[in-house]
Each structure stands twice: as C-alpha cells, then as structure tokens.
Amino acid sequence: MSAPGDFDFLVGEWEVAHRRRTRFLDPDSDWEEFGATSRCGRLFDGAANIDEMTVPAQGWKGLTLRLRDRATGRWSLYWSSTRSGRLFPPVTGEFMDGRGEFLGDDTHEGRDVRVRFVWSGISRDTARWEQAFSVDGGATWLTNWVMLFTRLPPEVGAASGAAGRDGWVPEPRAV
C-alpha cells in the first residue's frame, strides 16, 4: 500500500537518460535520445515532493509535483514544462511491491488518451520511469517515453550549481 515517503527514493540530484518517440501515438515512430539533470526535494514530511528537470540540449525545463491524498492514500502527479507553461491533468495511483503505477486522462494532438506512468527498478542510485498512451481506454498501451535515472554523487550535484539553487533546499530524508 502507498504511504508517505513513497517518493523519498527520488530526493536528490540525478542524471537522466531520456528515450522518447518522436510521435507519441505512432508505433513505427523513430526514437530520440537526450540527457538531462534533475533535482527533487521532499515536502510535507514525505507526503509531497517536487522536482525540476533541466534539458539543456533541447532548451526546456520540466517540473513534477507529487501529492499524496491523506483520505485515499493515492498519489496525484502533476507535470508542467517551460514548453507549454501549463499544468497537465494529473495521473493518480499508488505503489505496490516496489512498482508505482499512475493513470489519468488527457488529450494529445486532439485525441483523447489514457496516460500511464510507471516507476520501477527503484534502488538507492537508480530508477526507471516510463510513460505510455492508450487510445482504446487502456486495452492496449504504446510506451512513448522512458527515463533512466542515475543518482549523481553529492560533490557532482554541488559542483554543477544545481544543489541549493535559488535558496531551495530539499527537506531531509531518512536513509
């Protein structure tokens, strides 16, 4: 069952390898690969967190806000980027047996899509995130974006200027 602290693994500085379809709804689409860095901070005693991802080669930044609903125990994940400046509809879900699955509804290029985020392969220094879309209500899924997270050593994150930027310091977490 999900609990506060489910996303504590993500707190800190990360190098992120992206692999993304150039056309999200086309199974024959080419894939593009690019790198990024991410930093995540813990809020509300682990019942929330926020991360900022910097993608220099493509000239944009992304942000995810994650909130745990105390009544249901489920998480809501909200995404935005500098490309749109809007908050996308949330995906909601929970962790079970070390895997987090989160579902929601959105539109892509004028089509209604069911969206699925999956967190897996979670360890102290690695994690995997993937996004898939379904145009048939979840009967079939097309994975269109995968991110592989590798934790940066503390001295690398600090040397990059990412740690503590703008006076923001992640809430401490238990190790």
Side-chain angles (χ1 to χ4, degrees):
M1 193 71 173
S2 284
D6 281 343
F7 280 100
D8 281 357
F9 71 89
L10 201 52
V11 171
E13 307 280 333
W14 298 86
E15 181 177 26
V16 186
H18 292 254
R19 187 166 192 260
R20 181 175 72 179
R21 287 187 188 275
T22 55
R23 292 180 311 279
F24 280 7
L25 298 174
D26 181 356
D28 297 322
S29 172
D30 291 332
W31 290 87
E32 63 180 336
E33 296 182 359
F34 52 95
T37 57
S38 179
R39 70 183 173 117
C40 181
R42 183 176 193 262
L43 304 165
F44 298 168
D45 298 320
N49 75 28
I50 191 166
D51 70 48
E52 181 183 42
M53 185 171 298
T54 303
V55 186
Q58 295 196 350
W60 57 270
K61 292 183 179 187
L63 174 138
T64 306
L65 171 65
R66 299 171 188 88
L67 298 167
R68 184 174 180 272
D69 183 309
R70 289 179 57 122
T72 66
R74 295 174 58 82
W75 288 88
S76 295
L77 285 56
Y78 300 85
W79 163 256
S80 184
S81 81
T82 57
R83 292 176 296 177
S84 70
R86 72 178 182 98
L87 201 57
F88 284 77
V91 292
T92 60
E94 61 191 336
F95 281 86
M96 295 184 76
D97 300 321
R99 180 181 183 272
E101 184 169 318
F102 307 89
L103 301 167
D105 296 306
D106 202 348
T107 59
H108 182 73
E109 297 178 345
R111 294 184 71 182
D112 291 336
V113 294
R114 187 86 171 132
V115 179
R116 181 180 68 195
F117 291 179
V118 173
W119 281 98
S120 63
I122 298 166
S123 74
R124 178 173 169 75
D125 296 319
T126 60
R128 175 189 168 91
W129 173 90
E130 72 177 49
Q131 172 182 275
F133 285 177
S134 174
V135 294
D136 58 13
T140 61
W141 294 94
L142 177 63
T143 298
N144 54 40
W145 199 336
V146 176
M147 288 188 260
L148 302 177
F149 288 72
T150 304
R151 186 173 304 281
L152 289 171
E155 63 276 5
V156 172
S160 73
R165 266 190 322 221
D166 305 324
W168 184 73
V169 178
E171 189 176 310
R173 68 180 179 99
V175 178

